[in-house]
Amino acid sequence: MVMGIDEGIKKVSEMLAESEHVVVFTGSGISAESGIPTFRGAGGLWERYNPEEVASIYGFKRDPKKFWSFAKELIVKSNAEPNPAHYAIAELEREGVVKAVITQNIDMLHQRAGSKRVLELHGSMRYVDCLECRNVYEWEYIEKILQIEQPICERCGSDLLKPRVVFFGEPLPYDVLSSAMEESRKSDLFIVVGSSLVVYPAAKLPDMAKDSGAKLVIVNLEPTEKDFIFDVVLYGKAGEIMPKIVEEYKKLR
Ligand SMILES: [Zn+2]
């Protein structure tokens, strides 16, 4: 049901107070509010980059340089910091009500905001592997190099340095996906923040939660095709709505 912002914030805070195992699912919308460019839609990265070249495993192996200049624009140049929505979600975990965050984002902003249990369906940039000699680099090291040049492996000289993110043509990490499904089934309240729920498994997890008896909430800028299955639908900026929900929730505790 689509609700007005004030009514919705009150309703969701009440739902939080009545729940014990809340799971939050986030997509690119929450990162967009931190200045990270989105992929799909108008102004998205796929208008200027060919996903086959920069985000498929085949394209990457053919020309890692293209991937890295894309990654530079995506992450380094955007210089993104967690926004109030990330902090609000981390606070709900500290409060003990949010048990897990499932995300499609690779930017590590949830962890930087303080979230502990983060299930990264598409991996993250945290570690970068040399596909030739298996040397492992931490993101901070690669990020520094990217400011001036393309990263190459300092041990073997290869340019096949691949971050542990899921490229097109690669499977989702099995253990993360099964934990995400288990958390969705265990949840009594499942909150989607900033996802249009079009790609698998994003489209599936809310159904799994609902089938197991969870209430569903979505906070997104625009309507999605799955809005009809949600108990509360809120259209607006997560960075404005989520902190208010936390504030109201704390009054009820
Ligand atoms: Zn190497």
Side-chain angles (χ1 to χ4, degrees), residues 130-135 137 153-158 161:
C130 172
L131 297 187
E132 292 292 345
C133 76
R134 293 287 154 194
N135 213 22
Y137 298 91
C153 177
E154 60 175 20
R155 191 159 86 181
C156 76
S158 167
L161 293 183

Side-chain angles (χ1 to χ4, degrees), residues 51-238:
E52 279 301 311
E53 281 180 357
V54 299
S56 81
I57 186 63
Y58 319 102
F60 172 77
K61 287 184 173 164
R62 221 168 22 233
D63 190 357
K65 282 188 202 73
K66 277 191 182 151
F67 165 76
W68 282 111
S69 51
F70 164 71
K72 186 171 175 176
E73 170 160 356
L74 180 62
I75 300 180
V76 182
K77 275 208 242 157
S78 62
N79 211 0
E81 297 291 333
N83 66 59
H86 293 104
Y87 288 112
I89 293 165
E91 190 166 358
L92 290 173
E93 185 179 2
R94 277 196 302 279
E95 292 282 326
V97 63
V98 163
K99 303 296 185 194
V101 178
I102 304 169
T103 188
Q104 296 172 290
N105 303 332
I106 59 168
D107 49 40
M108 302 174 282
L109 292 180
H110 284 297
Q111 289 91 336
R112 285 175 56 200
S115 288
K116 298 282 182 246
R117 183 157 159 74
V118 183
L119 301 169
E120 296 167 314
L121 292 171
H122 295 167
S124 83
M125 301 294 288
R126 189 171 305 108
Y127 297 107
V128 177
D129 298 303
C130 172
L131 297 187
E132 292 292 345
C133 76
R134 293 287 154 194
N135 213 22
V136 181
Y137 298 91
E138 293 196 11
W139 168 247
E140 286 70 23
Y141 172 82
I142 299 288
E143 192 180 20
K144 263 190 218 121
I145 293 179
L146 266 182
Q147 311 280 358
I148 22 182
E149 59 191 342
Q150 292 284 326
I152 56 163
C153 177
E154 60 175 20
R155 191 159 86 181
C156 76
S158 167
D159 60 357
L160 283 172
L161 293 183
K162 182 185 176 292
R164 292 183 190 170
V165 298
V166 178
F167 281 66
F168 292 135
E170 289 190 303
L172 297 183
Y174 176 79
D175 51 335
V176 180
L177 181 58
S178 50
S179 300
M181 293 197 281
E182 194 186 324
E183 286 295 342
S184 303
R185 286 196 203 96
K186 276 202 282 191
S187 69
D188 48 10
L189 177 60
F190 189 92
I191 305 177
V192 174
V193 182
S195 172
S196 44
L197 301 175
V198 279
V199 282
Y200 176 85
K204 209 71 215 139
L205 295 174
D207 293 312
M208 294 178 86
K210 195 178 177 82
D211 289 346
S212 306
K215 293 267 186 340
L216 302 186
V217 171
I218 182 166
V219 178
N220 200 39
L221 267 185
E222 45 205 40
T224 76
E225 281 179 14
K226 297 198 70 108
D227 283 355
F228 69 96
I229 72 165
F230 286 81
D231 298 283
V232 177
V233 178
L234 288 173
Y235 300 134
K237 281 192 167 180

